[in-house]
Amino acid sequence: MFEMIASPVKVAHLLMGNKIGPGATVIDATVGNGYDTLFLAEAVGVVGRVYGFDIQAEAIENTKLRLLKEGLLERVLLFHEGHENLAHRVTENIDGIMFNLGYLPGGDHRVITKPSTTIMALEGALKLLKPGGLATVVVYPGHEGGADEAQALDEYVAHLPKNTYSCVKITFVNRSRRSPYVLAIEKAQ
Ligand code: SAM
């Protein structure tokens, strides 16, 4: 068992957990089964706010139930809608945003995030990010369509202006070349 860097999701939580705290405003761009949403809802505290997006009703329902069970639903606004629309739904600036791409574990594996909408959402989110804010993206090149999305994202992030955004790619170097990795983008203060 690994404690600190067991998985890309864990790495993304480590980074985001160091950035946000009570009172933060954040987005979970892909709520799925609600694990990331729960992590964010705990981190932002009673006065913080989490916006969550997913295109699948099942994901919204799973997330709602998870938050209800933990008594944290009132901190979270869930949208059964694509994250490409986030700029229309979130009108305040944000401290952080998390993307966890690919398909819903335990759900329909044919419903996946897509390069064009993921990049549209990331672009919109970067505009909403406060100075010093952080975006994390867990990228899955291993499933069908995943490699195209990974390539498009790598290219998009590589071209972000270096004086405004500091971008890293965190890969697990002793795992398969197609194993998931993290992109993290911090906006300058
Ligand atoms: N963060 C989740 C968790 O903690 O359980 C896991 C997310 S899962 C890997 C990816 C999710 O992205 C799926 O639930 C899928 O429905 C969702 N998704 C796919 N396209 C989307 C889009 N355009 N906007 C928002 N969510 C999308």
Side-chain angles (χ1 to χ4, degrees):
M1 281 297 271
F2 301 100
E3 201 183 11
M4 210 168 78
I5 49 172
S7 67
V9 170
K10 190 94 194 225
V11 171
H13 284 195
L14 265 180
L15 293 170
M16 192 56 75
N18 270 286
K19 178 59 75 178
I20 61 167
T25 302
V26 296
I27 299 177
D28 184 348
T30 50
V31 300
N33 287 318
Y35 293 104
D36 296 317
T37 322
L38 180 61
F39 161 76
L40 290 169
E42 282 170 344
V44 302
V46 280
V47 290
R49 165 72 67 213
V50 183
Y51 295 90
F53 293 84
D54 206 292
I55 51 170
Q56 296 192 73
E58 186 188 349
I60 296 293
E61 197 51 35
N62 291 351
T63 300
K64 195 180 276 180
L65 290 175
R66 191 173 304 286
L67 293 165
L68 258 181
K69 196 166 151 234
E70 302 298 330
L72 296 175
L73 186 58
E74 76 280 3
R75 300 175 191 182
V76 182
L77 273 172
L78 291 170
F79 296 99
H80 178 197
E81 193 169 342
H83 45 218
E84 56 275 20
N85 294 325
L86 63 82
H88 301 296
R89 297 288 174 209
V90 183
T91 52
E92 57 183 325
N93 287 115
I94 58 169
D95 297 280
I97 178 162
M98 301 188 84
F99 290 80
N100 189 343
L101 304 177
Y103 53 79
L104 178 67
D108 185 344
H109 289 198
R110 291 166 304 180
V111 182
I112 55 172
T113 52
K114 301 270 172 56
S116 61
T117 41
T118 300
I119 288 172
M120 194 188 296
L122 183 57
E123 200 163 29
L126 293 181
K127 289 191 187 129
L128 290 177
L129 260 194
K130 294 177 188 169
L134 181 74
T136 62
V137 189
V138 178
V139 187
Y140 298 82
H143 63 79
E144 209 182 318
D148 290 343
E149 185 174 40
Q151 192 185 347
L153 267 168
D154 283 3
E155 269 167 32
Y156 175 75
V157 171
H159 288 94
L160 287 172
K162 66 174 189 236
N163 292 333
T164 311
Y165 299 104
S166 183
C167 308
V168 293
K169 177 175 177 176
I170 304 169
T171 60
F172 283 69
V173 292
N174 60 347
R175 295 187 190 172
S176 138
R177 284 164 64 88
R178 281 159 68 91
S179 71
Y181 62 90
V182 182
L183 291 170
I185 305 162
E186 186 179 23
K187 196 171 195 172
Q189 289 280 358

